[in-house]
């Protein structure tokens, strides 16, 4: 769970040597694991480089599942939202607190409060990174989404 430290180290390496491509791929992979597909894409395709086929497939799969999750949320299709959030995690965004919060929100809307609480517990285990604070999830700042879902769960519990 030391993503924040690793991201800072890679960002510092890139700041000191902007053309140092060896720092961009691992940073892109870390960001992809956090579900930050646009930030990941920026680093994976920087300086005219193209990621290897496996990384490209992972990026495309995570992006596709997050997009489907977004569509399902807009349509209030909580079962599909839950399925797509799980698929995004399985496809490579396995350290995304926002996707854990997404699962929690879907469980909450499906009246599965214990599962919602469990997913939020996982979401809160991750330390926020500077990159996450600037990225958006469902149209709101990523960290704000986690607090938004937590507030919904607390309300359902009468807190």
């Amino acid at each position: 769970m030391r993503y924040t430290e690793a991201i800072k180290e890679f960002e510092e390496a890139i700041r000191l040597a902007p053309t140092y491509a060896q720092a961009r791929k691992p940073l892109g992979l870390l960001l992809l694991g956090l579900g930050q597909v646009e930030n990941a894409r920026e680093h994976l395709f920087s300086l005219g480089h193209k990621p290897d086929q496996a990384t490209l497939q992972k990026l495309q799969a995570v992006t596709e599942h997050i997009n489907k999750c977004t569509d399902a949320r807009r349509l209030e299709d909580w079962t599909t939202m839950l399925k797509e959030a799980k698929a995004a995690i399985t496809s490579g965004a396995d350290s995304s607190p926002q996707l854990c919060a997404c699962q929690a929100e879907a469980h909450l809307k499906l009246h599965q409060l214990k599962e919602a609480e469990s997913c939020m517990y996982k979401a809160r285990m991750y330390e926020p990174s500077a990159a996450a604070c600037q990225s958006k999830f469902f149209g709101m700042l990523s960290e704000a989404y986690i607090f938004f879902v937590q507030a919904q769960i607390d309300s359902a519990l009468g807190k």
Side-chain angles (χ1 to χ4, degrees):
M1 306 273 176
R2 297 176 160 239
Y3 285 99
T4 302
E5 291 174 37
I7 288 170
K8 284 180 186 175
E9 292 293 324
F10 285 121
E11 286 175 338
E12 181 64 10
I14 291 167
R15 187 187 69 75
L16 294 171
T19 58
Y20 183 57
Q22 280 75 6
R24 291 188 181 269
K25 180 180 179 182
L27 177 56
L29 291 172
L30 277 173
L31 293 169
L32 182 59
L34 291 170
Q36 299 177 29
V37 292
E38 291 310 314
N39 291 340
R41 185 182 317 279
E42 178 184 323
H43 289 287
L44 293 170
F45 283 93
S46 66
L47 305 173
H49 290 95
K50 185 178 177 187
D52 58 64
Q53 191 62 33
T55 302
L56 189 57
Q57 287 175 338
K58 184 188 272 190
L59 178 64
Q60 289 171 337
V62 171
T63 301
E64 180 181 317
H65 291 300
I66 289 175
N67 289 340
K68 287 179 179 178
C69 190
T70 302
D71 292 341
R73 184 174 188 267
R74 190 178 63 252
L75 297 170
E76 298 182 6
D77 180 354
W78 310 117
T79 303
T80 299
M81 182 175 150
L82 183 60
K83 181 184 96 172
E84 293 300 334
K86 286 179 181 178
I89 290 168
T90 302
S91 296
D94 55 355
S95 301
S96 172
Q98 289 74 24
L99 286 169
C100 290
C102 180
Q103 289 180 318
E105 184 179 25
H107 280 301
L108 179 66
K109 300 296 184 175
L110 293 168
H111 308 287
Q112 301 165 348
L113 201 50
K114 287 215 180 290
E115 291 87 346
E117 286 182 291
S118 175
C119 289
M120 277 312 295
Y121 176 77
K122 284 189 243 176
R124 289 190 311 268
M125 289 180 63
Y126 295 99
E127 193 178 322
S129 68
C133 292
Q134 297 168 3
S135 65
K136 294 208 174 192
F137 199 81
F138 297 141
M140 61 184 93
L141 291 174
S142 293
E143 289 306 302
Y145 177 66
I146 292 172
F147 291 120
F148 171 76
V149 175
Q150 183 64 60
Q152 290 182 71
I153 292 171
D154 288 347
S155 178
L157 291 170
K159 291 183 182 180

